[in-house]
Each structure stands twice: as structure tokens, then as C-alpha cells.
Amino acid sequence: GYIYLAAGLLAPGLLGGCSAGKGSSSGNSSPASSSQAASSAGSVSQSEKITYEQITQEQAKELLDSEEDYILLDVRTQLEYDEGHIPGATLLPDYEVSEKAEELLPDKDQLILVYCRSGNRSKSASRTLAELGYTNVKEFGGIRDWPYEITTD
């Protein structure tokens, strides 16, 4: 599978570090620049850890069949979920991941398999989970391509 890094944090950290290093003639912007640079610098040092893995639907099915301690996460809407989802899936809409993940997913090292309809929202949600510190996130695209069982229960 592919490993994705959330490298978008790298450039702001480098730019923030450069602007803070030059100093500022304005007293008002200097503290903001310094605190922004400090928080960005903290993110940069951790950016190598912010990853998730993209796997195939077949690999996801193998994990579902062979593993016991995992969360299958459907990041679509309630309506989409009700129309059909992979058996055993937990609904957490992509737009709620950053607010509700730590409540619904307390173990940040647990295997989390993420899907949506086509693969776009699952990639975004997986990136968010990785940024929140989840270490074992695997994204496998959309249910529209899922060749296995789907339920409405």
C-alpha cells in the first residue's frame, strides 16, 4: 500500500521559522509570528509520524476476516449509511472526525479501517485521524467499489 505523509505542515513551519528569525519592526506582529513559528516547529518535528496507509479493498477484506481488534469506520452521512454499509461498520461522518474521534475511538494504536462512498472523504478523514495521533489507520476507498457484503441493518 501507499503511505501518505501530511507534509503540508512542513512549509508553514519553515516559512514561520524564517519570518520569526528576521525579527519585526512592529511589536504587534512579532509575538504572533513567534508563537505561530513555535507551534509550526512543533508540528514539523512530528510530521514524520503523521501517516496513514492506503490499502486495496482485497487487503481490507483480508484484515476484516483475520483481525479481531479493529474499528471499521464509515465516514459518509447517516443517510448514506442507512442505505447500505459494510457489516460491523461504525458511522463517523467525515465532517465530525476532528470533534468526535477521540470520544468514539479512544485507542489511538488500534487498527482503524476507513471507507466512504468513492474514496475522497475517507482519505481526508484518514489524514485527520493521523494528525490527531492515530497510528494504525488504513484507508481503502469507497463502498461503491466494495465487491463484498453490504447490509442495511
Side-chain angles (χ1 to χ4, degrees):
Y2 295 100
I3 301 287
Y4 290 87
L5 295 174
L9 297 173
L10 197 55
L14 293 175
L15 295 174
C18 292
S19 64
K22 291 180 181 177
S24 175
S25 59
S26 165
N28 292 340
S29 66
S30 185
S33 297
S34 297
S35 64
Q36 182 181 5
S39 66
S40 295
S43 300
V44 169
S45 65
Q46 297 173 2
S47 66
E48 291 180 24
K49 297 178 185 175
I50 301 176
T51 64
Y52 70 94
E53 183 178 3
Q54 184 176 6
I55 61 173
T56 66
Q57 305 239 325
E58 292 75 20
Q59 289 170 313
K61 177 67 170 149
E62 287 174 21
L63 287 169
L64 292 173
D65 291 343
S66 65
E67 298 292 323
E68 292 182 14
D69 187 27
Y70 65 83
I71 297 283
L72 176 60
L73 201 60
D74 185 326
V75 296
R76 300 174 302 151
T77 66
Q78 181 73 56
L79 180 62
E80 289 172 301
Y81 180 87
D82 292 344
E83 290 173 351
H85 55 272
I86 299 172
T90 298
L91 177 65
L92 178 58
D94 64 314
Y95 52 86
E96 294 181 349
V97 168
S98 55
E99 292 83 28
K100 295 188 176 179
E102 292 180 341
E103 173 188 333
L104 291 174
L105 311 167
D107 182 356
K108 292 195 174 188
D109 296 320
Q110 186 172 30
L111 173 60
I112 302 174
L113 300 159
V114 185
Y115 75 94
C116 63
R117 184 186 62 82
S118 66
N120 290 327
R121 288 176 284 177
S122 57
K123 284 176 182 54
S124 175
S126 295
R127 189 170 35 254
T128 299
L129 288 169
E131 289 168 353
L132 289 170
Y134 291 87
T135 62
N136 197 7
V137 179
K138 303 201 184 299
E139 184 274 330
F140 64 96
I143 195 171
R144 72 176 185 190
D145 299 319
W146 184 250
Y148 310 104
E149 183 183 0
I150 294 175
T151 185
T152 56
D153 292 339

